[in-house]
Amino acid sequence: MAPSSSHRYLALLALFAVSLNLCCCQNESLDASGWGNAGVTWYGEPDGAGSTGGACGYGFAVANPPLNAMVSAGGPSLFDNGKGCGACYQIMCNGNPACSGKPITVTITDECPGGPCTSEPFHFDLSGRSMGALAKPGQADRLRSAGVLRVNFRRVACLYQGTNIAFRIDAGANPYYVAFVVEYEDGDGDLVSVEIQPAGGNFMPMQEMRSAVWKINSGSPLKGPYNIRLTSARSRKVVVAQSVIPANWKADATYRSIVNFH
């Protein structure tokens, strides 16, 4: 016998209630001050940066100032298909005797696509150095051998003191295909929009490449110098780096601006 319309209505209502409950549970994972609970593991060398670059495309910058290997790969909710690249989080560890209980700040620079990273709503796969920074003095190795840790975390503003936004040109870039990594954005850390303005032209939108790399394929060669307009993801603040990439730019070179989100 086919179900009646009233039965179908009750079934849909029950499904809606389950969905609503799941949404509420996800919202409750962050408290009023923005703190939530997450799992933490680590990868790479014990005092290293996790990997040489990672999925966000920052390359060797992850190991050097101002990042200084204080970085993390993010599970799906944190990496967010690349949109989470550059976001900063404060992490505090209390649940293990080796934990210091003092917060550290890490930047998302890589993706953790499997294992424990996909088994819970929020998971950080820290660099070895970041994991060690959660420990009491002399207890770093003990903490690294503890398995999956439970921590508190919250989103915070990035602050790269004395460092302005930089643009590292992709090794395969040319006037028809301009691509670069955007590095060291203060504030939100992640971007919702990047636009490029060639010499004598208008601003044109660039495409995000599931990372911190942005690109544009043009039908005709783009001439520098280039102005770059950046819009941050959460606050929607806008900065313009004037003539930051020169007319004689080189692939695989880094060009530093004199602006940042403050």
Side-chain angles (χ1 to χ4, degrees):
M1 179 183 296
S4 67
S5 59
S6 61
H7 287 164
R8 287 196 297 269
Y9 172 77
L10 290 173
L12 289 172
L13 187 62
L15 182 60
F16 173 75
V18 171
S19 300
L20 185 61
N21 185 55
L22 288 173
C23 291
C24 289
C25 289
Q26 289 176 349
N27 290 336
E28 288 171 358
S29 63
L30 298 179
D31 66 21
S33 62
W35 286 95
N37 298 310
V40 158
T41 48
W42 70 281
Y43 72 119
E45 297 296 322
D47 193 44
S51 66
T52 304
C56 290
Y58 294 117
F60 290 103
V62 296
N64 298 318
L67 293 174
N68 294 309
M70 292 298 292
V71 297
S72 179
S77 63
L78 298 170
F79 183 72
D80 193 18
N81 290 312
K83 297 183 185 303
C85 290
C88 294
Y89 292 89
Q90 201 171 62
I91 298 174
M92 188 163 53
C93 172
N94 292 299
N96 184 288
C99 292
S100 71
K102 298 178 181 179
I104 66 168
T105 300
V106 298
T107 302
I108 298 296
T109 60
D110 201 358
E111 177 185 18
C112 184
C117 292
T118 58
S119 64
E120 54 188 343
F122 301 102
H123 192 96
F124 295 87
D125 200 20
L126 298 177
S127 68
R129 182 172 297 177
S130 297
M131 191 68 162
L134 288 172
K136 295 175 182 176
Q139 297 292 302
D141 287 339
R142 182 179 176 187
L143 198 62
R144 293 189 191 101
S145 64
V148 179
L149 294 175
R150 304 309 307 172
V151 299
N152 297 318
F153 80 100
R154 66 178 176 179
R155 178 80 180 262
V156 294
C158 298
L159 183 59
Y160 304 112
Q161 293 183 346
T163 303
N164 287 322
I165 295 170
F167 302 86
R168 182 169 56 81
I169 307 298
D170 186 83
N174 59 68
Y176 293 89
Y177 169 74
V178 180
F180 48 72
V181 179
V182 187
E183 301 174 327
Y184 317 132
E185 305 98 283
D186 280 344
D188 292 350
D190 48 0
L191 300 169
V192 71
S193 171
V194 175
E195 300 162 278
I196 186 170
Q197 183 181 33
N202 299 318
F203 276 106
M204 300 180 291
M206 302 186 75
Q207 179 184 357
E208 188 177 17
M209 295 177 61
R210 201 177 180 273
S211 61
V213 182
W214 295 76
K215 69 173 184 177
I216 184 169
N217 290 294
S218 59
S220 57
L222 300 181
K223 297 181 180 180
Y226 303 139
N227 299 330
I228 308 296
R229 184 161 63 194
L230 310 172
T231 304
S232 62
R234 302 178 85 193
S235 64
R236 293 301 198 268
K237 289 183 178 180
V238 177
V239 297
V240 178
Q242 299 279 358
S243 300
V244 65
I245 300 176
N248 61 342
W249 61 270
K250 306 292 184 183
D252 212 23
T254 297
Y255 299 99
R256 298 187 179 275
S257 73
I258 58 171
V259 299
N260 212 323
F261 295 100
H262 298 298

